């Protein structure tokens, strides 16, 4: 490489740039060709496979009924794509079934090497054609194969086009390279030589009055001008540096004032969890520690969380979190946000005491649930007599929807057109005494009479500038419906609507007594959800309740009308199957249930996922086993299923 060291600046600039650019050009063009060819190949194969899969679905019935005529008509669907030359449908035993050829063409069969590649990858590319093997599935089982021969013309055209483009771009590169070398002399070599001559004059001769001429108006021209003005600029830079230092100091003081004024408690901790900096709000949040300085104390000792894992993860891993809720030993709830500072060993934490806010939110949620799930109909009017809220029970009792009554004023609503209660009696009592109650005989939307107990009250909300609200509560006194409601509540799970443990025991015992002495079998499936606790812990109990409701609906759809799906407790369910024809019936049911429950569950824009483990026991009607014995057997089998992995079922082993 000595010749390069002795080479001129022009040569050392031009040759490496040209060689490296040429190499990059060749590499880029080669990569572009390979990538384009690969994409074209994958698109072509995917296109054929998609068409083949669609044809395969339509061929299932024809294969099952050995209908070659229909199969041939379906196979002609390959004529929709001109690149498909031949398609042969072969059964799994190797027997030829039906064939499609484009315009009677005869394509060459693959050789031994290509056949091995087809078996391995599902396709192989020959000299003139592409060979693709597509299975025909029925219930995930291969019942036949479609052997396709596809034209390779599109891939060959892609290769030829890439080569033509390479030649064009190479010619363009040579022309540009010649132009570039000629301009290096003018734009770089000459200005650098002039600048070097001026610097040598300063170094060797101490001549400062020689100034290089500005040849180009680019970076080299700027460099020459900067050289001439360097001394004067140094003094100017010094002045600017002093100004910047004063500004930084001012901004630091301003930042400290902001931190002091922030109402959130702020802590800066090091990698050991020791407090480096805190603001005044932090001392207000922890008044028992205000006498002593918080700095240099451990954050865990100051907060005293009931569970240290989340805070330890923030301290040890410098984890950034948003609105993390931490329970303290003195029953406080702190909302914490953390950010890693530019110094990676320090973390800034912002804390807000949300104990009262969470308590208020819980009470509001509880009140909303009471309003929504109340068995009594409720109407609430604002100060202007406009209907603002209606619960589902009111619709169940009267048949009216919110949209039907929302535009009717309160005084008009009780004028006899919708309800028969005396308007004047109600309004007078409310205005004088603040309430009214009594038993009345009303009519629903469809004219049916309803014996009701009605209670009306006026509520003054101080938070709403003393405005009045009016609430009406309608209790249905129909004994038959009330009895049915109480009976349903006693024998059904409130959350899912499935029969509860009591209903299950009653139905199962009745079946055992009724079938005693008969010939036949009954089955019991014990189900326990996998991953349910993680859903509760991650997304909250509302998400867990939604999962239980959806699982209950899927179980109801999975069993027959004469079978029984029940919720025992928590995430445990049982299926009582009567009668049972054979073991395969229960296997099919278990597979169906597992597949159904594994499907994602949508909750507030998030997809939740759970699985299920199933224990199965089968008993003859004459075995003499009671419900508890069947539950114990299926429960034991369920735990054995859990040990084998999630989403499994296991039969009880005698």
């Amino acid at each position: 490489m000595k010749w390069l060291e002795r080479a001129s600046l022009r040569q050392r600039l031009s040759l490496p740039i040209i060689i490296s650019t040429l190499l990059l050009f060749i590499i880029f063009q080669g990569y572009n060709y390979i990538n384009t060819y690969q994409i074209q190949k994958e698109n072509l194969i995917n296109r054929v496979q998609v068409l083949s899969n669609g044809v395969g679905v339509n061929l299932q019935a024809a294969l099952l009924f050995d209908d070659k005529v229909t199969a041939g008509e379906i196979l002609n669907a390959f004529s929709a794509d001109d690149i498909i030359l031949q398609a042969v449908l072969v059964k799994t035993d190797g027997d030829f079934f039906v064939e499609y050829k484009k315009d009677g063409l005869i394509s060459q069969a693959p050789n031994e090497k290509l056949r091995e590649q087809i078996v391995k990858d599902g396709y192989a590319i020959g000299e003139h054609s592409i060979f693709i093997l597509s299975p025909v599935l029925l219930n995930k089982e291969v019942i036949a194969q479609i052997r396709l021969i596809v034209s390779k013309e599109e891939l060959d055209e892609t290769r030829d086009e890439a080569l033509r483009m390479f030649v064009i771009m190479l010619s363009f590169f040579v022309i540009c390279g010649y132009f570039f070398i000629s301009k290096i002399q003018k734009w770089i070599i000459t200005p650098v030589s002039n600048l070097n001559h001026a610097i040598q004059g300063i170094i060797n001769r101490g001549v400062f009055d020689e100034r290089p001429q500005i040849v180009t108006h680019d970076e080299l021209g700027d460099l020459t001008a900067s050289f001439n003005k360097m001394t004067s600029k140094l003094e100017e830079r010094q002045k600017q540096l002093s100004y910047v230092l004063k500004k930084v100091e001012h901004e630091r003081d301003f930042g400290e004032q902001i931190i002091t004024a922030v109402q959130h408690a702020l802590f800066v901790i090091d990698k050991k969890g020791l407090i480096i900096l805190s603001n005044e709000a932090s001392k207000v949040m922890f008044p028992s520690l205000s006498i002593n300085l918080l700095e240099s104390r451990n954050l865990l000792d100051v907060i005293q969380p009931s569970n240290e894992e989340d805070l330890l993860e923030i301290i040890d891993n410098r984890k950034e979190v948003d609105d993390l809720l931490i329970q303290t030993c003195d029953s406080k709830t702190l909302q914490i946000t953390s950010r890693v500072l530019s110094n990676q060993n320090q973390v800034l934490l912002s804390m807000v005491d949300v104990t009262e806010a969470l308590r208020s939110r819980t009470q509001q949620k509880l009140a909303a649930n009471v309003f929504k799930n109340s068995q009594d109909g409720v109407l609430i009017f604002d100060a202007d007599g406009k209907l603002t809220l209606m619960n589902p029970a009111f619709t169940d009792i009267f048949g009216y929807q919110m949209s039907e009554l929302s535009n009717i004023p309160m005084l008009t609503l009780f004028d006899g057109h919708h309800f028969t209660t005396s308007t004047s009696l109600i309004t007078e009592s409310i205005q004088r005494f603040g309430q009214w109650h009594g038993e009345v005989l009303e009519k629903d939307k469809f004219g049916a009479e309803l014996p009701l107990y009605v209670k009306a009250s006026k509520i003054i909300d101080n938070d709403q500038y003393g405005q009045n609200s009016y609430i009406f509560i309608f209790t249905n006194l129909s004994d038959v419906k009330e009895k049915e409601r109480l009976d349903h509540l006693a024998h059904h799970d409130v959350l899912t609507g499935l029969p509860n443990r009591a209903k299950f025991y009653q139905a199962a015992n009745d079946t055992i007594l009724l079938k005693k002495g008969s010939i036949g079998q009954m089955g019991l499936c014990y189900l326990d959800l996998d991953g349910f606790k993680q859903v509760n812990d991650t997304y909250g109990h509302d998400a867990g309740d939604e999962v239980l409701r959806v699982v209950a609906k899927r179980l109801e759809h999975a069993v027959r009308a004469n079978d029984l799906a029940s919720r025992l407790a928590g995430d445990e369910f049982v299926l009582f199957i009567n009668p049972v024809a054979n073991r395969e019936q229960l296997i099919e049911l278990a597979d169906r249930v597992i597949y159904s429950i594994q499907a994602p569950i949508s909750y507030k824009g998030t997809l939740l996922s759970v699985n299920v483990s199933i224990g199965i026991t089968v008993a003859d009607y004459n075995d003499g086993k009671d419900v508890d014995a069947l539950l114990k057997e299926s429960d034991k089998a369920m735990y054995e299923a859990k040990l084998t992995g999630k989403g499994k079922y296991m039969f009880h082993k005698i």
Side-chain angles (χ1 to χ4, degrees), residues 424-437 455-460 468-470:
S424 59
L425 177 62
I426 295 176
T427 55
E428 181 181 357
S429 179
I430 291 176
Q431 295 301 329
R432 292 184 60 185
F433 307 108
Q435 63 177 357
W436 177 89
H437 62 88
K455 184 176 181 180
S457 302
K458 178 173 66 174
I459 301 174
I460 299 177
N468 300 334
S469 297
Y470 301 92

Side-chain angles (χ1 to χ4, degrees), residues 406-447:
S406 59
N407 296 323
I408 302 176
M410 181 179 66
L411 295 179
T412 306
L413 187 64
F414 296 97
D415 65 356
H417 291 86
H418 295 85
F419 304 102
T420 59
T421 304
S422 172
T423 305
S424 59
L425 177 62
I426 295 176
T427 55
E428 181 181 357
S429 179
I430 291 176
Q431 295 301 329
R432 292 184 60 185
F433 307 108
Q435 63 177 357
W436 177 89
H437 62 88
E439 294 185 9
V440 296
L441 187 63
E442 297 285 353
K443 290 184 178 181
D444 64 11
K445 179 180 178 180
F446 309 102

Side-chain angles (χ1 to χ4, degrees), residues 177-189:
Y178 175 79
F179 177 78
F180 176 73
I181 293 174
S182 64
K183 293 300 180 180
I184 285 179
Q185 178 67 33
K186 178 180 178 181
W187 292 340
I188 299 177
I189 304 301

Side-chain angles (χ1 to χ4, degrees), residues 1 93 254 286 346 403 424 479 528 580 642:
M1 300 295 290
D93 56 6
F254 182 67
F286 302 99
Q346 296 178 356
S403 58
S424 59
D479 292 337
D528 185 85
V580 173
K642 276 186 175 292

Side-chain angles (χ1 to χ4, degrees), residues 371 378-381 455-459 469-473:
F371 177 83
V378 180
L379 295 180
I380 299 179
F381 298 87
K455 184 176 181 180
S457 302
K458 178 173 66 174
I459 301 174
S469 297
Y470 301 92
I471 180 170
F472 291 81
I473 302 175

Side-chain angles (χ1 to χ4, degrees), residues 567-610:
R567 182 189 179 198
L568 292 184
D571 59 340
E572 297 177 347
F573 299 81
V574 292
L575 304 178
F576 184 69
I577 312 302
N578 177 55
V580 173
N582 48 49
R583 183 186 180 97
E584 285 69 26
Q585 174 189 346
L586 295 178
I587 293 176
E588 181 182 352
L589 172 63
D591 288 334
R592 187 166 63 250
V593 168
I594 293 173
Y595 178 79
S596 173
I597 292 180
Q598 285 177 344
I601 298 172
S602 177
Y603 173 74
K604 294 183 178 180
T606 301
L607 293 181
L608 308 179
S609 178
V610 294

Side-chain angles (χ1 to χ4, degrees), residues 186-215:
K186 178 180 178 181
W187 292 340
I188 299 177
I189 304 301
T190 299
V192 170
S193 298
N194 293 339
L195 184 60
N196 180 62
H197 184 269
I199 294 173
Q200 291 297 325
I202 295 173
I203 296 174
N204 298 327
R205 299 185 301 276
V207 178
F208 292 91
D209 56 353
E210 183 178 355
R211 295 290 184 267
Q213 183 181 0
I214 299 176
V215 179

